[in-house]
Amino acid sequence: MDLHLSDETIAIRDMVRDFSKKEIEPIASKVDKDDFFPKEIFKKMGHLGILGLTVSEEYGGAGLDYLTHGVVLEEISYFSGSIGLSYGAHSNLVVDNLFRNANKNQREEYLPDLISGDKIGSLCLTEPSGGSDALGSMKTTYRKEGDNFIINGSKTFITNAPVADTFLVYSKNYDRYSAFILKRSDGVETPKWIEKMGMRGSPTGEVYFNELKIPLNRLLKNEGDGKKIIYEGLNAERAVLAFGPLGIARRALDEAIEYSQQREQFGTKIGNFQLIQEKLAYMFSKLEAVRLLAYEAAMMTKERIVDPSYAASSIMLASETATQIAKDALQIFGGYGYTSDFPLERLLRDAILYEIGAGTTEIRKIVIAKAVQKRNTR
């Protein structure tokens, strides 16, 4: 398996890096401090052509692979973890999901506006009484009445919900789970913007459906296909989102290296101290090892290789590694790292989310263990 990036992916990576440095870096601190969502950034991303990377050109996408998608997420997350998270939720959890599962009419109606950035997407699965047991504890229900579906229930911890226009919603009817496309104009209520420790500026909220009526053509695939849609999308979700913490970790390492070459103590640069060198050596080695796993998992997803252990391992190790690297970088900065004058404390707060969101570290370990046991059963 060739883990080198193609010339096309490298060109896109460099383009997004330049864009992020120009458009995202100047507002990253404000986004975090004010919990501010820069909606215009999504329109600029749409013009750049990165909101539908894995969607075919027929619907306005780029027709590229999950590795390219992940590389783009890493570059955005390097400059702002929160904007990267909202980008990943929009472009992968919603846009890529719709492309894989929607019919032709649904694709033609919803994908263009999402890919252009004119509309923001949000996937709604987690519920107040749920969490890791998303399906078993699901209480959002639907029923069919004539030419309509009626949906009742609520979701929580939903990324992009407060600003979204298009919602991909999972609901159940007795023991059947189904997926629906909803519009804010249908009567979707998002009354609460949830305050968070990190990933501030990536809007997280509650979503309510009260006798919400939608036509039958808003159903994704067939009734009862919801569980299949969720599980088939998990590999792509984990493989792509693993690049978010990669970007955060890389930024923390770069900040630590630069600081160690500037800060002086006891008459010398602190980068000359062996304990600092040890930290930097481990930080670099862990980051590059996780990057190789992330590349492999993304390539396997591209080839539709059905083995959840690689994608789950990728995001598990990437998230844990990002937290540790951000913590070590903050330690190298000492007291300055604990202040808001430098981005280290923001990087640490942002990194921690990836150990909780998109499936906790504990759930990922279960997925990995079951997959490797199944694969090695004799």
Side-chain angles (χ1 to χ4, degrees):
M1 184 175 290
D2 184 3
L3 298 180
H4 291 91
L5 299 179
S6 68
D7 290 342
E8 184 176 26
T9 297
I10 290 174
I12 293 172
R13 179 199 66 189
D14 293 345
M15 175 187 71
V16 174
R17 182 176 296 173
D18 291 341
F19 167 83
S20 299
K21 188 173 183 178
K22 177 183 177 183
E23 300 288 347
I24 296 177
E25 175 78 349
I27 64 172
S29 179
K30 175 180 173 58
V31 164
D32 176 69
K33 182 179 179 181
D34 298 343
D35 208 358
F36 162 69
F37 177 73
K39 195 168 185 177
E40 71 280 359
I41 288 291
F42 268 71
K43 291 189 177 182
K44 292 179 179 180
M45 288 179 178
H47 290 311
L48 204 63
I50 60 173
L51 294 182
L53 286 171
T54 57
V55 176
S56 70
E57 296 180 11
E58 178 184 359
Y59 299 101
L64 298 173
D65 54 35
Y66 289 115
L67 178 56
T68 305
H69 196 178
V71 167
V72 167
L73 175 58
E74 177 183 345
E75 292 306 319
I76 296 171
S77 300
Y78 181 92
F79 295 95
S80 172
S82 59
I83 293 177
L85 179 64
S86 280
Y87 166 79
H90 172 90
S91 60
N92 179 261
L93 274 64
V94 178
V95 174
D96 181 69
N97 204 329
L98 285 176
F99 174 64
R100 286 185 291 101
N101 295 294
N103 59 42
K104 182 176 176 59
N105 290 335
Q106 291 170 335
R107 289 175 174 178
E108 290 176 345
E109 181 174 357
Y110 297 102
L111 286 179
D113 283 344
L114 290 167
I115 291 173
S116 69
D118 289 335
K119 298 286 179 66
I120 303 295
S122 179
L123 182 140
C124 304
L125 176 60
T126 303
E127 299 193 357
S129 61
S132 297
D133 185 20
L135 288 177
S137 61
M138 186 178 294
K139 295 181 179 179
T140 298
T141 62
Y142 75 90
R143 67 181 188 274
K144 186 185 293 185
E145 286 188 0
D147 295 330
N148 299 290
F149 289 109
I150 311 297
I151 300 178
N152 284 283
S154 64
K155 306 288 183 177
T156 194
F157 302 131
I158 306 302
T159 302
N160 292 347
V163 297
D165 308 283
T166 305
F167 300 82
L168 178 54
V169 177
Y170 294 100
S171 182
K172 73 174 185 178
N173 182 295
Y174 295 101
D175 60 346
R176 293 196 301 177
Y177 299 88
S178 299
F180 301 92
I181 306 170
L182 274 60
K183 303 177 183 178
R184 181 173 292 276
S185 58
D186 294 324
V188 177
E189 300 175 29
T190 57
K192 184 177 181 180
W193 183 310
I194 298 173
E195 293 275 343
K196 305 189 299 298
M197 167 184 168
M199 290 298 186
R200 294 171 56 78
S202 175
T204 303
E206 297 176 346
V207 186
Y208 292 91
F209 319 101
N210 182 19
E211 287 292 293
L212 191 147
K213 181 186 297 186
I214 56 172
L216 299 181
N217 61 13
R218 300 286 192 82
L219 174 70
L220 270 185
K221 289 193 171 180
N222 303 302
E223 280 194 74
D225 282 346
K227 183 182 293 188
K228 181 180 179 182
I229 292 172
I230 291 172
Y231 286 126
E232 287 184 351
L234 283 175
N235 261 10
E237 176 183 338
R238 289 168 176 151
V240 171
L241 291 186
F243 286 81
L246 270 183
I248 295 172
R250 196 181 95 220
R251 177 61 179 269
L253 175 59
D254 285 351
E255 293 283 346
I257 292 172
E258 182 178 359
Y259 187 77
S260 71
Q261 294 171 336
Q262 296 175 351
R263 176 70 167 168
E264 290 189 8
Q265 290 286 278
F266 306 104
T268 187
K269 299 288 193 298
I270 65 171
N272 294 324
F273 299 147
Q274 289 183 348
L275 285 177
I276 298 296
Q277 292 174 351
E278 181 191 43
K279 283 186 182 295
L280 295 175
Y282 273 115
M283 292 160 72
F284 170 79
S285 299
K286 290 176 181 179
L287 174 61
E288 291 307 307
V290 171
R291 182 188 305 286
L292 289 174
L293 179 57
Y295 278 25
E296 183 171 15
M299 290 292 290
M300 292 178 73
T301 305
K302 168 189 173 183
E303 301 299 333
R304 298 295 191 271
I305 299 173
V306 183
D307 185 340
S309 62
Y310 283 87
S313 294
S314 175
I315 192 169
M316 181 189 75
L317 285 183
S319 60
E320 291 181 340
T321 299
T323 300
Q324 187 60 53
I325 288 178
K327 186 175 181 294
D328 287 341
L330 191 152
Q331 189 73 19
I332 289 174
F333 271 71
Y336 288 107
Y338 201 66
T339 72
S340 59
D341 292 337
F342 294 88
L344 276 302
E345 55 87 26
R346 166 166 58 91
L347 295 173
L348 179 56
R349 287 186 286 107
D350 287 350
I352 292 171
L353 181 279
Y354 278 109
E355 295 192 54
I356 301 170
T360 64
T361 292
E362 289 74 20
I363 290 297
R364 293 163 189 163
K365 290 176 180 177
I366 293 172
V367 171
I368 296 163
K370 287 183 176 180
V372 298
Q373 289 182 85
K374 180 179 180 181
R375 187 165 67 240
N376 289 283
T377 299
R378 296 181 180 178

